[in-house]
Amino acid sequence: MDRNQFGDQPVKTVLLAYLVIAFTTACAPGVGGSSSWIAAETIQAPLQVEIAEPRVAMTPPQNIRVVTFNVHYGEDVDALARTFQNNPALQQADIILIQEIQSFPEESTSRARRLADVLGMGYVYAPARSFGSGTHGLAILNRYPLQNVAVMELPKGEIVLSTERRIALRADVTGASGTLRLINVHLDTRLNATERILQLRPALLDAPEPTVVGGDFNTNPLVWAFNLIPIFPWSATGSSDQSSTLDQYMKAVGYQTPTAAFGETVSYPLLKPRIDSIYVRGLNTGAGAVERDVSVSDHWPLWLDISQ
Amino acid sequence: MFYRSSSALCLIFLAAFLPTFSEASIVKEQSIAIEALGKGGLWGLGYDSQLTERIGLGVVGSYYVLDGTQFLSFSPYVTLYPFIAGSNRGLIQLGPQFLRQSISSPVPEWTGTSSNRFGGELSIGYEHNGHLIFRVYGMLSFGQSGIAPWIGTSLGISL
């Protein structure tokens, strides 16, 4: 039988369909919406921001240790507190940027507050969204008084299945050397590198110097098709490392990338993603590390010493 | 180290199939195929030329854009058929891969980035060579980012 007896038409149809699918993937980055900072005191329940000054207000020294840590809900506050009390690097933390911490009315106080109380720190807790009977959001724990606390709703990723409200939380610390801007962020997971930049960008654009931007940037080592299917790393020839792309963007807007060489910040098998980072602008940086002995979350805490 | 390993793998691969050069008849068959997933990642367009009953040469090219990231790949390969039963064949494919990866900046303050990258891939799978040529295979790619597994299917016709 002649192989072409089957006819070319069905094959052409299938080929055409493939071409249509292939070229319809050539879509623009799917992140949109405008964002602006909203003063914390104007935000109403149920996403009301909690703020408490440190019990002993100290003046920030020239050298400050900043920690960023996704605490994966922070359910076991006592274990979290022990982590900060027992780890030699973390017990010197002056400012802790926390992501994925929750608060529930059936618990006596918010988890951020309980953690701050045990550590003798002040805190800001900004819920990003409702979660069950409570809320889920970002916190900054601090040894120094914070000013200008504000929340920004970040542009939404057009993500199939489960689009979550993402926010940035900002605050200023004023010391002898001037005012330091802190920005804590937690970005979407199933974004590609350009969408990630678009989601982060509004939180950075008006930031003065000096600024610290830290958090869970979710810079996973994947390329997402339709924000749903991870198609990279299909090839070891290519690179799907979103963290290095975000580093390039941050450098372009004047930030240093002092934690770029610290390696992975989550303990996934095979993949070694650097999901969490700290970027600084207008500051000197010193020592820093990822504390991989910590097992209280699915992320490891990352710390960096900075000075003005 | 990577290039030495790749070269050694190629030599072992070819040595195992050298006898087929002498014993097989010349088929000289050509085909084109479209791939889903496979060597191009998301999709690809392929061309194959059958040199003998057990040996062929082929290439898959692919281009697509995902949220501002452009992928242009070119993957030539040698195909060997160690098992043949009528129109059903086992296949092994080995070859290099060239990839140009570019990220177009969505914002004015950054210019974007691009890189040219080189690697290789080894595929093992099944082919049904009937009215249509259907292939399904598992694939290991090796290159600057280490080793990565992947899968692919293709559907083609003889020319």
Side-chain angles (χ1 to χ4, degrees), chain B:
Chain B
M1 181 64 189
F2 162 69
Y3 296 102
R4 272 202 303 242
S5 306
S6 304
S7 304
L9 192 60
C10 288
L11 285 174
I12 293 167
F13 182 76
L14 290 173
F17 288 90
L18 273 178
T20 61
F21 281 102
S22 55
E23 67 194 31
S25 59
I26 301 297
V27 179
K28 283 194 176 175
E29 196 170 79
Q30 297 179 343
S31 62
I32 58 168
I34 41 181
E35 286 204 341
L37 307 180
K39 295 176 176 58
L42 189 58
W43 81 289
L45 192 58
Y47 168 80
D48 283 273
S49 178
Q50 185 96 32
L51 302 179
T52 73
E53 187 184 21
R54 290 184 181 271
I55 297 173
L57 294 174
V59 62
V60 170
S62 180
Y63 174 77
Y64 51 94
V65 184
L66 284 172
D67 297 319
T69 304
Q70 301 163 47
F71 300 92
L72 175 64
S73 71
F74 178 73
S75 311
Y77 52 85
V78 176
T79 304
L80 299 174
Y81 297 99
F83 310 109
I84 300 175
S87 56
N88 300 307
R89 305 198 279 187
L91 66 82
I92 301 173
Q93 295 173 328
L94 180 70
Q97 181 178 58
F98 306 94
L99 176 69
R100 179 163 179 80
Q101 194 173 338
S102 307
I103 298 179
S104 301
S105 173
V107 293
E109 65 270 20
W110 180 54
T111 56
T113 183
S114 65
S115 60
N116 296 313
R117 305 174 73 95
F118 174 76
E121 53 206 2
L122 173 67
S123 307
I124 299 176
Y126 161 80
E127 174 183 299
H128 177 78
N129 197 329
H131 297 302
L132 295 173
I133 302 168
F134 171 73
R135 288 175 179 165
V136 58
Y137 56 85
M139 187 180 109
L140 272 182
S141 76
F142 40 94
Q144 290 159 277
S145 301
I147 296 176
W150 195 233
I151 55 170
T153 63
S154 79
L155 188 64
I157 54 166
S158 289
L159 297 174

Side-chain angles (χ1 to χ4, degrees), chain A residues 14-239:
Chain A
V14 173
L15 180 59
L16 185 64
Y18 264 104
L19 290 174
V20 168
I21 291 167
F23 285 100
T24 51
T25 60
C27 52
V31 171
S34 59
S35 300
S36 57
W37 290 110
I38 308 293
E41 58 271 19
T42 65
I43 299 172
Q44 303 298 311
L47 301 180
Q48 191 170 12
V49 177
E50 293 179 22
I51 304 177
E53 295 289 327
R55 280 195 297 254
V56 181
M58 297 160 62
T59 303
Q62 190 162 3
N63 298 304
I64 291 176
R65 178 160 295 181
V66 178
V67 176
T68 180
F69 191 16
N70 179 321
V71 297
H72 193 53
Y73 309 154
E75 194 171 0
D76 191 344
V77 174
D78 293 336
L80 266 178
R82 281 196 301 274
T83 297
F84 280 95
Q85 289 168 329
N86 297 335
N87 181 292
L90 301 181
Q91 64 188 200
Q92 297 174 51
D94 296 300
I95 291 165
I96 307 172
L97 309 177
I98 291 180
Q99 305 85 41
E100 285 204 36
I101 195 161
Q102 298 183 329
S103 178
F104 295 97
E106 53 269 31
E107 297 177 4
S108 57
T109 59
S110 69
R111 293 171 182 175
R113 177 171 182 171
R114 280 149 58 201
L115 181 59
D117 285 348
V118 174
L119 298 179
M121 301 174 88
Y123 80 101
V124 176
Y125 170 60
R129 58 183 178 273
S130 297
F131 188 97
S133 61
T135 56
H136 174 109
L138 305 178
I140 299 176
L141 273 56
N142 53 290
R143 297 203 183 281
Y144 319 109
L146 299 180
Q147 301 94 36
N148 299 323
V149 177
V151 174
M152 176 183 285
E153 180 175 356
L154 297 174
K156 267 190 174 174
E158 292 170 10
I159 294 176
V160 181
L161 305 175
S162 179
T163 295
E164 294 172 332
R165 184 176 183 265
R166 300 286 176 166
I167 61 167
L169 171 62
R170 90 161 189 214
D172 292 340
V173 177
T174 302
S177 311
T179 299
L180 171 65
R181 169 66 52 89
L182 305 170
I183 299 174
N184 183 11
V185 297
H186 185 197
L187 305 183
D188 269 315
T189 304
R190 284 178 281 129
L191 295 178
N192 289 313
T194 51
E195 298 169 306
R196 198 166 299 288
I197 288 166
L198 288 172
Q199 187 168 61
L200 173 64
R201 183 175 181 249
L204 308 176
L205 283 181
D206 66 347
E209 285 195 15
T211 294
V212 174
V213 182
D216 178 356
F217 296 85
N218 258 319
T219 39
N220 51 71
L222 301 168
V223 173
W224 297 89
F226 319 112
N227 298 105
L228 184 65
I229 308 161
I231 67 156
F232 254 100
W234 64 269
S235 166
T237 307
S239 170

